[in-house]
Amino acid sequence: MTRRAVLLFLAAFLLIGSAGQAQAAGYRYWSFWDRDGDKWVYATQGPSLARPSDGDVQGFRFAVSVNSGDAARPRGTADFASICARTPAEDGTKRVALVLDFGTASDAPSGETPPAPRTACARVSPDATTADALAAAAGSLRYDNSALLCAIAGYPKSGCGEQVSADKEPTPAEPSGRKAAEDDSDGPSVGLYAGVAIVAALAGAAIWQARRRRNAP
């Protein structure tokens, strides 16, 4: 293979690498989790639909995530007995333990400082949703017009599920109605497909050129 062909191959692979880096962009949002034994499991329903049982532990984590597979889990104590130790059971109610993790400074919007993680025990009616329990325990909540949870206890002050590039600089958000917390897409990008096509084309050209030279008189 000629030196030029080698350089073209390297350029194509650099293009593919750039496409992969572009996929690193994620979304800054509150993710919602269920506690299953000693581990966190990404919730399959939103907090306004989920109806926890008495004794359940649920968590929220604010972070930048590409999809549910790489989402940061809540930190800190996640034991119902310790979180709800000072909230005795009462007839006609249920208790839900909540872990609220406001995330790290690196995931915070510009100019904001995340509060320290904390836990809370919500006593609510038997048919209450997680959103009801969260409102009872954490106070002020903010949602967007598609019911996406934007802020807990006033954090963050603004923004809601905005897209953030690999260097954590925000880019324009997607149209209203997108559920950032439900985005599990991790398929290859158009740029990646284009890079693969370029590599294949260059490989074919290099082989053809080599054969032509060998067959030349």
Side-chain angles (χ1 to χ4, degrees):
M1 189 180 295
T2 66
R3 181 173 180 273
R4 179 176 175 176
V6 171
L7 291 176
L8 288 173
F9 268 109
L10 290 175
F13 279 112
L14 286 174
L15 175 61
I16 294 176
S18 297
Q21 289 178 357
Q23 286 183 278
Y27 291 85
R28 181 184 285 126
Y29 68 97
W30 279 100
S31 58
F32 173 39
W33 302 80
D34 291 316
R35 190 71 176 178
D36 182 9
D38 61 352
K39 64 181 180 180
W40 288 110
V41 178
Y42 201 90
T44 57
Q45 291 182 304
S48 62
L49 296 176
R51 296 184 185 277
S53 301
D54 182 75
D56 281 353
V57 179
Q58 298 185 308
F60 292 85
R61 171 70 186 266
F62 188 78
V64 174
S65 306
V66 175
N67 53 54
S68 63
D70 84 325
R73 291 165 172 73
R75 300 166 295 173
T77 302
D79 177 72
F80 177 82
S82 59
I83 294 174
C84 290
R86 298 184 179 182
T87 306
E90 288 185 2
D91 291 339
T93 66
K94 66 182 177 184
R95 295 170 298 162
V96 180
L98 299 172
V99 177
L100 309 178
D101 188 340
F102 296 83
T104 63
S106 63
D107 286 335
S110 178
E112 296 201 49
T113 301
R118 65 176 186 255
T119 61
C121 186
R123 194 203 316 270
V124 290
S125 62
D127 63 345
T129 64
T130 301
D132 295 329
L134 185 61
S140 175
L141 305 177
R142 177 166 57 86
Y143 293 88
D144 71 358
N145 57 12
S146 59
L148 178 67
L149 179 62
C150 303
I152 296 177
Y155 183 81
K157 296 178 181 178
S158 61
C160 191
E162 65 270 21
Q163 190 173 17
V164 181
S165 64
D167 59 2
K168 302 297 177 67
E169 289 298 324
T171 57
E174 290 199 356
S176 176
R178 181 190 183 280
K179 299 293 187 181
E182 297 173 4
D183 180 19
D184 290 339
S185 174
D186 57 1
S189 67
V190 173
L192 181 58
Y193 284 126
V196 172
I198 290 173
V199 170
L202 290 174
I207 293 172
W208 176 83
Q209 186 178 35
R211 288 178 177 174
R212 182 182 179 187
R213 289 184 176 181
R214 284 198 302 267
N215 295 332

